[in-house]
Amino acid sequence: MSGSDSRIRVLLVLSDVLSTIVSIILTYWIRVDLISGIRFVTPFLHDITTYLWTIPFVCTLWVLIFSAKGLYRPRRGISGMGEFREIVRAITFGVVIIMAASFLRKFDYSRLIVLSFWACNIIIVGSSRVIIRHFQRKRMRKGHGKTSVIIVGAGETASLIIERMKRVEDLGYQIIGIVDDDKSLSTKTTVMGLPFLGHIDELPQLINQFQ
């Protein structure tokens, strides 16, 4: 993992933790100050301290689930909607675990709070991801945070890969050049519009050179 990928991963973890803390506090405020006054809604008896004590457990659980779902891996060609779907699945799974744990411990939690937290967390985490990905794309367009790659081969498959990498900037790759085992290309300086770096046997030296 590159230094840029590591920084993005740390930023995502911190953002998710902060978003989850905000979601817990916001959910409590909605339940106590907004919903409690509605007719037919049961009065809320729990003190906010009860829910603040859950923050370390919930945040740790969320980071573990998000990590298991691959939400902290480098995002290469995954659409924003695809990432959002994974966030919804991860949060839903986490909420199910919390409900199961509360049942086993015989804790009388507010189901309305759990439902409100689920919705708030999806919105806040999803929004923070949109903001982070927006700035990540802007940096990539300026050449920052990209992973340097060397294309092996100069055939049709290589051509398709090159076309996709050039078309989709979100992949975060910068093509250095091409190597191939075709000796007839040895006199060429460019292949498919990219620098021809040499024979495939030279690949280990080229990797060391461009690291």
Side-chain angles (χ1 to χ4, degrees):
M1 185 180 290
S2 68
S4 176
D5 287 339
S6 297
R7 287 190 292 271
I8 289 293
R9 181 175 185 175
V10 170
L11 180 60
L12 289 173
V13 171
L14 292 176
S15 173
D16 291 340
V17 168
L18 181 60
S19 297
T20 302
I21 293 171
V22 170
S23 298
I24 291 172
I25 296 172
L26 180 61
T27 298
Y28 183 86
W29 176 77
I30 290 172
R31 178 64 177 87
V32 172
D33 291 348
L34 295 184
I35 299 179
S36 291
I38 300 175
R39 193 178 178 184
F40 303 122
V41 175
T42 305
F44 192 64
L45 303 177
H46 293 154
D47 185 80
I48 190 172
T49 308
T50 304
Y51 292 91
L52 292 179
W53 277 107
T54 67
I55 287 177
F57 167 74
V58 173
C59 289
T60 302
L61 178 63
W62 257 228
V63 170
L64 291 174
I65 293 174
F66 277 42
S67 182
K69 289 285 187 180
L71 288 166
Y72 297 131
R73 288 199 297 265
R75 182 172 174 260
R76 306 291 188 188
I78 302 174
S79 67
M81 186 56 66
E83 185 175 35
F84 181 74
R85 281 195 297 268
E86 287 303 315
I87 288 171
V88 173
R89 291 191 185 106
I91 293 174
T92 302
F93 182 61
V95 167
V96 170
I97 291 176
I98 290 173
M99 292 175 68
S102 300
F103 175 77
L104 292 174
R105 289 179 59 86
K106 296 182 170 34
F107 175 70
D108 186 21
Y109 63 89
S110 168
R111 288 164 182 78
L112 194 53
I113 270 211
V114 173
L115 182 60
S116 299
F117 168 74
W118 175 81
C120 285
N121 201 219
I122 288 173
I123 293 170
I124 297 173
V125 171
S127 299
S128 68
R129 288 284 175 132
V130 169
I131 294 170
I132 291 172
R133 297 306 187 189
H134 171 72
F135 284 104
Q136 187 181 12
R137 284 194 298 271
K138 286 185 68 174
R139 281 178 54 80
M140 282 184 177
R141 291 192 186 105
K142 294 178 181 178
H144 301 298
K146 288 193 173 183
T147 301
S148 298
V149 297
I150 296 173
I151 302 297
V152 178
E156 184 178 347
T157 302
S159 177
L160 292 172
I161 292 172
I162 292 167
E163 181 186 353
R164 176 164 172 77
M165 284 184 176
K166 288 182 175 180
R167 188 176 68 251
V168 185
E169 292 183 341
D170 285 4
L171 290 174
Y173 295 116
Q174 181 167 352
I175 304 173
I176 302 299
I178 296 174
V179 296
D180 196 89
D181 58 1
D182 187 349
K183 295 182 179 179
S184 66
L185 299 175
S186 59
T187 58
K188 295 183 177 293
T189 56
T190 61
V191 175
M192 293 187 286
L194 293 168
F196 181 69
L197 302 177
H199 194 271
I200 193 170
D201 292 339
E202 301 174 56
L203 187 58
Q205 294 93 325
L206 290 169
I207 290 173
N208 290 329
Q209 179 183 341
F210 289 106
Q211 274 184 340

Coordinates of all heavy atoms in Angstrom, one line a residue, residues 99-177:
M99 N -28.3 -5.0 18.3 CA -29.7 -5.4 18.8 C -29.6 -6.8 19.5 O -30.2 -7.1 20.5 CB -30.6 -5.4 17.7 CG -31.0 -4.1 17.1 SD -32.0 -4.1 15.7 CE -33.6 -4.7 16.4
A100 N -28.8 -7.7 18.8 CA -28.6 -9.0 19.4 C -27.9 -9.0 20.7 O -28.3 -9.7 21.7 CB -27.8 -9.9 18.4
A101 N -26.8 -8.1 20.8 CA -26.1 -8.0 22.1 C -27.0 -7.4 23.2 O -26.9 -7.9 24.4 CB -24.9 -7.1 21.9
S102 N -27.8 -6.4 22.8 CA -28.7 -5.8 23.8 C -29.7 -6.9 24.3 O -30.1 -6.9 25.5 CB -29.4 -4.6 23.2 OG -28.5 -3.7 22.8
F103 N -30.2 -7.7 23.4 CA -31.2 -8.7 23.8 C -30.5 -9.8 24.8 O -31.1 -10.1 25.8 CB -31.7 -9.5 22.6 CG -32.6 -10.6 22.9 CD1 -33.9 -10.4 23.2 CD2 -32.1 -11.9 22.8 CE1 -34.7 -11.5 23.5 CE2 -32.9 -13.0 23.1 CZ -34.2 -12.8 23.4
L104 N -29.3 -10.2 24.5 CA -28.6 -11.1 25.3 C -28.3 -10.6 26.7 O -28.3 -11.3 27.7 CB -27.3 -11.6 24.6 CG -27.5 -12.4 23.4 CD1 -26.2 -12.7 22.7 CD2 -28.2 -13.8 23.7
R105 N -28.0 -9.3 26.7 CA -27.7 -8.6 28.0 C -29.0 -8.1 28.7 O -28.9 -7.5 29.8 CB -26.7 -7.5 27.8 CG -25.3 -7.9 27.4 CD -24.4 -6.7 27.2 NE -24.3 -5.9 28.4 CZ -23.5 -6.0 29.4 NH1 -22.7 -7.1 29.4 NH2 -23.5 -5.2 30.4
K106 N -30.1 -8.3 28.1 CA -31.4 -7.9 28.6 C -31.4 -6.4 28.9 O -32.0 -5.9 29.9 CB -31.7 -8.7 29.9 CG -31.9 -10.2 29.6 CD -32.3 -10.9 30.9 CE -32.7 -12.4 30.6 NZ -32.1 -13.1 29.6
F107 N -30.8 -5.6 27.9 CA -30.8 -4.2 28.1 C -32.1 -3.7 27.3 O -32.3 -4.0 26.1 CB -29.6 -3.6 27.5 CG -29.6 -2.1 27.4 CD1 -29.5 -1.3 28.6 CD2 -29.7 -1.4 26.2 CE1 -29.6 0.0 28.6 CE2 -29.7 0.0 26.2 CZ -29.6 0.7 27.4
D108 N -32.9 -2.9 28.0 CA -34.1 -2.4 27.4 C -33.8 -1.1 26.6 O -34.0 0.0 27.0 CB -35.1 -2.0 28.5 CG -36.5 -1.6 28.0 OD1 -36.8 -2.0 26.8 OD2 -37.2 -0.9 28.7
Y109 N -33.3 -1.3 25.4 CA -33.0 -0.2 24.5 C -34.2 0.3 23.8 O -35.2 -0.3 23.7 CB -31.9 -0.6 23.5 CG -32.4 -1.7 22.5 CD1 -33.0 -1.4 21.4 CD2 -32.2 -3.0 22.9 CE1 -33.5 -2.3 20.5 CE2 -32.7 -4.0 22.0 CZ -33.3 -3.7 20.8 OH -33.7 -4.7 20.0
S110 N -34.1 1.6 23.3 CA -35.2 2.2 22.5 C -35.0 1.7 21.1 O -34.0 2.1 20.4 CB -35.1 3.7 22.6 OG -36.0 4.3 21.7
R111 N -36.0 1.0 20.5 CA -36.0 0.6 19.2 C -36.0 1.8 18.2 O -35.5 1.7 17.1 CB -37.1 -0.4 18.9 CG -36.9 -1.7 19.5 CD -38.1 -2.6 19.6 NE -37.9 -3.9 20.3 CZ -37.8 -4.0 21.6 NH1 -37.9 -2.9 22.4 NH2 -37.6 -5.2 22.1
L112 N -36.7 2.8 18.6 CA -36.8 4.0 17.8 C -35.4 4.7 17.7 O -35.0 5.2 16.7 CB -37.8 5.0 18.5 CG -38.2 6.2 17.6 CD1 -38.8 5.7 16.2 CD2 -39.3 7.0 18.3
I113 N -34.6 4.6 18.8 CA -33.3 5.2 18.8 C -32.4 4.4 17.8 O -31.6 4.9 17.1 CB -32.7 5.2 20.2 CG1 -33.0 6.6 20.8 CG2 -31.2 5.0 20.2 CD1 -32.0 7.1 21.8
V114 N -32.5 3.1 17.9 CA -31.7 2.2 17.0 C -32.0 2.5 15.6 O -31.1 2.6 14.7 CB -32.0 0.7 17.3 CG1 -31.3 -0.2 16.3 CG2 -31.5 0.4 18.7
L115 N -33.3 2.6 15.2 CA -33.7 2.9 13.8 C -33.2 4.3 13.4 O -32.7 4.4 12.3 CB -35.3 2.8 13.7 CG -35.8 3.0 12.3 CD1 -35.3 2.0 11.4 CD2 -37.4 3.0 12.4
S116 N -33.4 5.3 14.3 CA -32.9 6.6 14.0 C -31.4 6.6 13.8 O -30.9 7.3 12.9 CB -33.3 7.6 15.1 OG -34.7 7.6 15.3
F117 N -30.7 5.9 14.7 CA -29.2 5.8 14.5 C -28.8 5.2 13.2 O -27.9 5.7 12.5 CB -28.6 5.0 15.7 CG -27.2 4.7 15.5 CD1 -26.2 5.6 15.6 CD2 -26.8 3.4 15.1 CE1 -24.8 5.3 15.4 CE2 -25.5 3.1 14.9 CZ -24.5 4.0 15.1
W118 N -29.5 4.2 12.8 CA -29.2 3.5 11.5 C -29.3 4.5 10.4 O -28.4 4.6 9.5 CB -30.2 2.3 11.4 CG -30.1 1.6 10.0 CD1 -29.2 0.7 9.7 CD2 -31.0 1.8 8.9 NE1 -29.4 0.3 8.4 CE2 -30.5 0.9 7.9 CE3 -32.1 2.6 8.7 CZ2 -31.1 0.9 6.6 CZ3 -32.7 2.6 7.4 CH2 -32.2 1.7 6.4
A119 N -30.4 5.2 10.4 CA -30.7 6.2 9.3 C -29.6 7.3 9.3 O -29.0 7.7 8.3 CB -32.1 6.7 9.3
C120 N -29.4 7.9 10.5 CA -28.5 9.0 10.6 C -27.1 8.6 10.3 O -26.3 9.3 9.6 CB -28.5 9.5 12.1 SG -29.9 10.5 12.5
N121 N -26.7 7.4 10.7 CA -25.3 6.9 10.4 C -25.1 6.7 9.0 O -24.0 7.1 8.4 CB -25.1 5.7 11.2 CG -23.6 5.4 11.4 OD1 -23.1 4.2 11.4 ND2 -22.8 6.4 11.7
I122 N -26.0 6.2 8.3 CA -25.9 6.0 6.8 C -25.8 7.3 6.1 O -24.9 7.5 5.3 CB -27.1 5.2 6.3 CG1 -27.1 3.7 6.7 CG2 -27.2 5.3 4.7 CD1 -28.3 3.0 6.3
I123 N -26.6 8.3 6.5 CA -26.5 9.6 5.9 C -25.2 10.3 6.1 O -24.5 10.8 5.2 CB -27.7 10.5 6.3 CG1 -29.0 9.9 5.8 CG2 -27.5 11.9 5.9 CD1 -30.2 10.5 6.5
I124 N -24.8 10.3 7.4 CA -23.5 11.1 7.8 C -22.3 10.4 7.3 O -21.4 11.0 6.7 CB -23.5 11.2 9.3 CG1 -24.7 12.1 9.8 CG2 -22.2 11.9 9.7 CD1 -24.8 12.2 11.3
V125 N -22.2 9.1 7.4 CA -21.0 8.3 6.9 C -21.0 8.5 5.4 O -19.9 8.7 4.8 CB -21.0 6.9 7.3 CG1 -19.9 6.1 6.6 CG2 -20.8 6.7 8.8
G126 N -22.1 8.3 4.7 CA -22.2 8.4 3.3 C -21.8 9.7 2.8 O -21.0 9.9 1.8
S127 N -22.2 10.8 3.5 CA -21.9 12.2 3.1 C -20.4 12.5 3.3 O -19.8 13.1 2.4 CB -22.7 13.2 3.9 OG -24.1 13.0 3.7
S128 N -19.8 12.0 4.4 CA -18.4 12.2 4.6 C -17.6 11.5 3.6 O -16.5 12.0 3.1 CB -18.0 11.7 6.0 OG -18.1 10.3 6.1
R129 N -18.0 10.3 3.1 CA -17.3 9.6 2.1 C -17.3 10.4 0.8 O -16.4 10.4 0.0 CB -17.9 8.2 1.9 CG -17.6 7.2 3.0 CD -16.2 6.7 2.9 NE -15.9 5.8 4.0 CZ -15.3 4.6 3.9 NH1 -15.0 4.1 2.7 NH2 -15.1 3.9 4.9
V130 N -18.5 10.9 0.4 CA -18.6 11.7 -0.8 C -17.6 12.9 -0.8 O -16.9 13.1 -1.8 CB -20.1 12.3 -0.9 CG1 -20.1 13.3 -2.1 CG2 -21.0 11.1 -1.2
I131 N -17.5 13.6 0.3 CA -16.6 14.7 0.5 C -15.1 14.2 0.3 O -14.4 14.8 -0.4 CB -16.8 15.4 1.8 CG1 -18.2 16.1 1.9 CG2 -15.7 16.5 2.0 CD1 -18.6 16.6 3.2
I132 N -14.8 13.2 1.0 CA -13.4 12.7 0.9 C -13.0 12.2 -0.5 O -12.0 12.5 -1.0 CB -13.2 11.5 1.9 CG1 -13.2 12.0 3.4 CG2 -11.8 10.8 1.7 CD1 -13.2 11.0 4.4
R133 N -14.0 11.5 -1.1 CA -13.7 11.0 -2.5 C -13.6 12.1 -3.5 O -12.8 12.1 -4.4 CB -14.8 10.0 -2.9 CG -14.9 8.7 -2.1 CD -13.6 8.0 -2.0 NE -13.7 6.7 -1.3 CZ -12.7 5.9 -1.0 NH1 -11.5 6.3 -1.2 NH2 -12.9 4.8 -0.4
H134 N -14.4 13.2 -3.2 CA -14.3 14.4 -4.1 C -12.9 15.0 -4.1 O -12.3 15.3 -5.2 CB -15.4 15.4 -3.7 CG -15.2 16.7 -4.4 ND1 -15.6 16.9 -5.7 CD2 -14.8 17.9 -4.0 CE1 -15.4 18.1 -6.1 NE2 -14.9 18.8 -5.1
F135 N -12.4 15.2 -2.9 CA -11.0 15.8 -2.8 C -10.0 14.8 -3.3 O -8.9 15.2 -3.8 CB -10.8 16.2 -1.4 CG -11.5 17.5 -1.0 CD1 -12.6 17.5 -0.2 CD2 -11.0 18.7 -1.5 CE1 -13.3 18.7 0.1 CE2 -11.7 19.9 -1.2 CZ -12.8 19.9 -0.4
Q136 N -10.2 13.5 -3.1 CA -9.3 12.5 -3.6 C -9.2 12.5 -5.1 O -8.1 12.5 -5.7 CB -9.7 11.1 -3.1 CG -8.7 10.0 -3.4 CD -9.2 8.6 -3.0 OE1 -10.3 8.4 -2.6 NE2 -8.3 7.7 -3.0
R137 N -10.4 12.7 -5.8 CA -10.4 12.8 -7.2 C -9.7 14.0 -7.7 O -9.0 14.0 -8.7 CB -11.8 12.7 -7.7 CG -12.5 11.3 -7.7 CD -13.7 11.3 -8.5 NE -14.7 12.2 -8.0 CZ -15.6 11.9 -7.1 NH1 -15.6 10.7 -6.6 NH2 -16.5 12.8 -6.7
K138 N -9.9 15.1 -7.0 CA -9.2 16.4 -7.4 C -7.7 16.2 -7.3 O -7.0 16.7 -8.2 CB -9.7 17.5 -6.5 CG -11.1 18.0 -6.8 CD -11.5 19.2 -6.0 CE -10.7 20.4 -6.4 NZ -11.2 21.7 -5.7
R139 N -7.2 15.6 -6.3 CA -5.8 15.4 -6.1 C -5.2 14.5 -7.2 O -4.2 14.7 -7.8 CB -5.5 14.8 -4.8 CG -5.5 15.8 -3.6 CD -5.2 15.1 -2.3 NE -4.0 14.3 -2.3 CZ -2.8 14.8 -2.2 NH1 -2.6 16.1 -2.0 NH2 -1.7 14.0 -2.2
M140 N -6.0 13.4 -7.6 CA -5.6 12.5 -8.6 C -5.5 13.2 -10.0 O -4.6 12.9 -10.8 CB -6.5 11.3 -8.7 CG -6.3 10.3 -7.6 SD -7.4 8.8 -7.8 CE -6.9 7.8 -6.4
R141 N -6.4 14.1 -10.2 CA -6.4 14.8 -11.5 C -5.1 15.7 -11.6 O -4.7 16.0 -12.7 CB -7.6 15.7 -11.7 CG -8.9 14.9 -11.9 CD -10.1 15.7 -12.3 NE -11.3 14.9 -12.4 CZ -12.3 15.0 -11.5 NH1 -12.2 15.9 -10.5 NH2 -13.4 14.3 -11.6
K142 N -4.6 16.1 -10.5 CA -3.4 16.9 -10.5 C -2.1 16.0 -10.4 O -1.0 16.5 -10.3 CB -3.4 17.8 -9.3 CG -4.5 18.9 -9.3 CD -4.5 19.8 -8.1 CE -5.6 20.8 -8.2 NZ -5.6 21.7 -6.9
G143 N -2.3 14.7 -10.4 CA -1.2 13.7 -10.4 C -0.8 13.3 -9.0 O 0.2 12.5 -8.9
H144 N -1.5 13.7 -8.0 CA -1.1 13.3 -6.6 C -1.8 12.0 -6.2 O -2.9 11.8 -6.6 CB -1.5 14.4 -5.6 CG -0.9 15.7 -5.9 ND1 0.5 15.9 -5.9 CD2 -1.4 16.9 -6.2 CE1 0.7 17.2 -6.1 NE2 -0.4 17.8 -6.4
G145 N -1.1 11.2 -5.5 CA -1.7 10.0 -5.0 C -1.9 8.8 -6.0 O -2.6 7.9 -5.7
K146 N -1.3 9.0 -7.1 CA -1.5 7.9 -8.2 C -0.4 6.8 -8.0 O 0.7 7.1 -7.5 CB -1.4 8.5 -9.6 CG -2.6 9.3 -9.9 CD -2.7 9.6 -11.4 CE -4.0 10.3 -11.8 NZ -4.1 10.5 -13.3
T147 N -0.7 5.6 -8.4 CA 0.2 4.5 -8.4 C 0.8 4.3 -9.7 O 0.1 4.2 -10.7 CB -0.5 3.2 -7.9 OG1 -1.1 3.4 -6.6 CG2 0.5 2.0 -7.9
S148 N 2.1 4.3 -9.8 CA 2.8 4.1 -11.1 C 2.7 2.7 -11.5 O 3.0 1.8 -10.7 CB 4.3 4.6 -11.0 OG 4.4 5.9 -10.7
V149 N 2.4 2.4 -12.8 CA 2.3 1.1 -13.3 C 3.1 0.9 -14.6 O 3.2 1.9 -15.4 CB 0.8 0.6 -13.5 CG1 0.1 0.6 -12.2 CG2 0.1 1.5 -14.5
I150 N 3.5 -0.3 -14.9 CA 4.2 -0.6 -16.2 C 3.3 -1.7 -16.8 O 3.0 -2.7 -16.2 CB 5.6 -1.1 -16.0 CG1 6.5 0.0 -15.4 CG2 6.2 -1.6 -17.3 CD1 7.9 -0.4 -15.0
I151 N 2.9 -1.5 -18.0 CA 2.1 -2.4 -18.8 C 3.0 -3.5 -19.4 O 4.0 -3.2 -20.1 CB 1.3 -1.7 -19.9 CG1 0.4 -0.6 -19.3 CG2 0.5 -2.7 -20.6 CD1 -0.6 -1.1 -18.4
V152 N 2.7 -4.7 -19.1 CA 3.4 -5.9 -19.6 C 2.7 -6.4 -20.9 O 1.5 -6.9 -20.7 CB 3.6 -7.0 -18.6 CG1 4.4 -8.2 -19.2 CG2 4.4 -6.5 -17.4
G153 N 3.3 -6.3 -22.0 CA 2.6 -6.7 -23.2 C 2.1 -5.6 -24.1 O 1.8 -4.5 -23.5
A154 N 2.0 -5.8 -25.4 CA 1.6 -4.7 -26.3 C 0.5 -5.2 -27.2 O 0.3 -4.8 -28.3 CB 2.8 -4.2 -27.1
G155 N -0.3 -6.2 -26.7 CA -1.4 -6.8 -27.5 C -2.7 -6.1 -27.3 O -2.8 -5.0 -26.7
E156 N -3.8 -6.8 -27.7 CA -5.1 -6.3 -27.6 C -5.5 -6.1 -26.1 O -6.2 -5.1 -25.8 CB -6.1 -7.2 -28.3 CG -7.5 -6.7 -28.3 CD -8.5 -7.6 -29.1 OE1 -8.0 -8.5 -29.8 OE2 -9.7 -7.4 -29.0
T157 N -5.2 -7.0 -25.3 CA -5.6 -6.9 -23.8 C -4.9 -5.7 -23.2 O -5.5 -5.0 -22.5 CB -5.1 -8.2 -23.1 OG1 -5.8 -9.3 -23.6 CG2 -5.6 -8.1 -21.6
A158 N -3.6 -5.5 -23.5 CA -2.9 -4.3 -23.0 C -3.6 -3.1 -23.5 O -3.7 -2.1 -22.7 CB -1.5 -4.4 -23.4
S159 N -4.0 -3.0 -24.7 CA -4.7 -1.9 -25.3 C -5.9 -1.5 -24.5 O -6.2 -0.3 -24.2 CB -5.0 -2.1 -26.8 OG -5.7 -1.0 -27.3
L160 N -6.7 -2.6 -24.2 CA -8.0 -2.3 -23.5 C -7.7 -1.8 -22.0 O -8.4 -0.9 -21.6 CB -8.8 -3.7 -23.4 CG -9.3 -4.2 -24.7 CD1 -9.9 -5.6 -24.5 CD2 -10.4 -3.2 -25.3
I161 N -6.7 -2.4 -21.4 CA -6.3 -1.9 -20.1 C -5.9 -0.5 -20.1 O -6.3 0.3 -19.2 CB -5.2 -2.8 -19.5 CG1 -5.7 -4.2 -19.2 CG2 -4.6 -2.2 -18.2 CD1 -4.7 -5.2 -18.8
I162 N -5.0 -0.1 -21.1 CA -4.5 1.3 -21.2 C -5.7 2.2 -21.4 O -5.8 3.3 -20.8 CB -3.5 1.4 -22.3 CG1 -2.2 0.6 -21.9 CG2 -3.2 2.8 -22.6 CD1 -1.3 0.4 -23.1
E163 N -6.6 1.8 -22.3 CA -7.8 2.7 -22.6 C -8.6 2.9 -21.3 O -9.0 4.1 -21.1 CB -8.6 2.0 -23.7 CG -9.8 2.9 -24.1 CD -10.8 2.1 -25.0 OE1 -10.4 1.0 -25.5 OE2 -11.8 2.7 -25.3
R164 N -8.8 1.9 -20.5 CA -9.6 2.0 -19.3 C -8.9 2.9 -18.3 O -9.5 3.7 -17.6 CB -10.0 0.7 -18.7 CG -10.7 0.8 -17.4 CD -11.4 -0.5 -17.0 NE -11.9 -0.5 -15.7 CZ -13.1 0.1 -15.3 NH1 -13.7 0.8 -16.2 NH2 -13.5 0.1 -14.1
M165 N -7.6 2.7 -18.1 CA -6.9 3.5 -17.2 C -6.9 5.0 -17.5 O -6.9 5.8 -16.6 CB -5.4 3.0 -17.1 CG -5.2 1.7 -16.3 SD -3.5 1.2 -16.2 CE -3.6 -0.2 -15.1
K166 N -6.8 5.3 -18.8 CA -6.8 6.7 -19.2 C -8.2 7.3 -19.1 O -8.3 8.5 -18.8 CB -6.3 6.8 -20.7 CG -4.8 6.5 -20.9 CD -4.4 6.7 -22.3 CE -2.9 6.6 -22.5 NZ -2.5 6.7 -23.9
R167 N -9.2 6.4 -19.3 CA -10.6 7.0 -19.3 C -11.1 7.2 -17.9 O -11.8 8.1 -17.7 CB -11.5 6.0 -20.1 CG -12.9 6.6 -20.3 CD -13.8 5.6 -21.1 NE -14.1 4.4 -20.4 CZ -13.6 3.2 -20.7 NH1 -12.7 3.1 -21.7 NH2 -13.9 2.1 -20.1
V168 N -10.8 6.3 -17.0 CA -11.3 6.3 -15.6 C -10.2 6.8 -14.7 O -9.4 6.1 -14.2 CB -11.8 5.0 -15.2 CG1 -12.5 5.1 -13.8 CG2 -12.8 4.4 -16.2
E169 N -10.2 8.1 -14.4 CA -9.2 8.7 -13.6 C -9.3 8.2 -12.1 O -8.3 8.2 -11.4 CB -9.3 10.2 -13.6 CG -8.9 10.9 -14.9 CD -9.0 12.4 -14.9 OE1 -9.6 12.9 -14.0 OE2 -8.4 13.0 -15.8
D170 N -10.5 7.8 -11.7 CA -10.7 7.3 -10.3 C -9.9 6.1 -10.0 O -9.7 5.7 -8.8 CB -12.1 7.1 -10.0 CG -12.9 8.4 -9.9 OD1 -12.3 9.4 -10.1 OD2 -14.1 8.3 -9.6
L171 N -9.4 5.4 -11.1 CA -8.6 4.2 -10.8 C -7.3 4.5 -10.1 O -6.7 3.7 -9.4 CB -8.3 3.5 -12.1 CG -9.5 2.8 -12.8 CD1 -9.0 2.3 -14.2 CD2 -10.0 1.7 -12.0
G172 N -6.8 5.7 -10.3 CA -5.6 6.2 -9.5 C -4.3 5.6 -10.0 O -3.4 5.5 -9.2
Y173 N -4.2 5.3 -11.3 CA -3.0 4.7 -11.9 C -2.4 5.7 -12.9 O -3.1 6.4 -13.6 CB -3.3 3.4 -12.6 CG -3.7 2.3 -11.7 CD1 -5.0 1.7 -11.9 CD2 -2.9 1.8 -10.7 CE1 -5.4 0.7 -11.0 CE2 -3.3 0.8 -9.9 CZ -4.6 0.2 -10.1 OH -5.0 -0.8 -9.2
Q174 N -1.0 5.7 -12.9 CA -0.3 6.5 -13.9 C 0.6 5.6 -14.6 O 1.5 5.0 -14.0 CB 0.5 7.6 -13.2 CG 1.3 8.5 -14.2 CD 1.8 9.8 -13.6 OE1 1.5 10.1 -12.5 NE2 2.6 10.5 -14.4
I175 N 0.4 5.5 -15.9 CA 1.2 4.5 -16.7 C 2.5 5.1 -17.1 O 2.6 6.2 -17.7 CB 0.4 4.2 -18.0 CG1 -1.0 3.6 -17.7 CG2 1.2 3.1 -18.8 CD1 -1.9 3.4 -18.9
I176 N 3.6 4.4 -16.7 CA 5.0 4.8 -16.9 C 5.4 4.4 -18.4 O 6.0 5.2 -19.1 CB 5.9 4.1 -15.9 CG1 5.5 4.5 -14.5 CG2 7.4 4.6 -16.2 CD1 5.6 6.0 -14.2
G177 N 5.0 3.2 -18.8 CA 5.4 2.8 -20.1 C 5.0 1.3 -20.3 O 4.3 0.7 -19.5

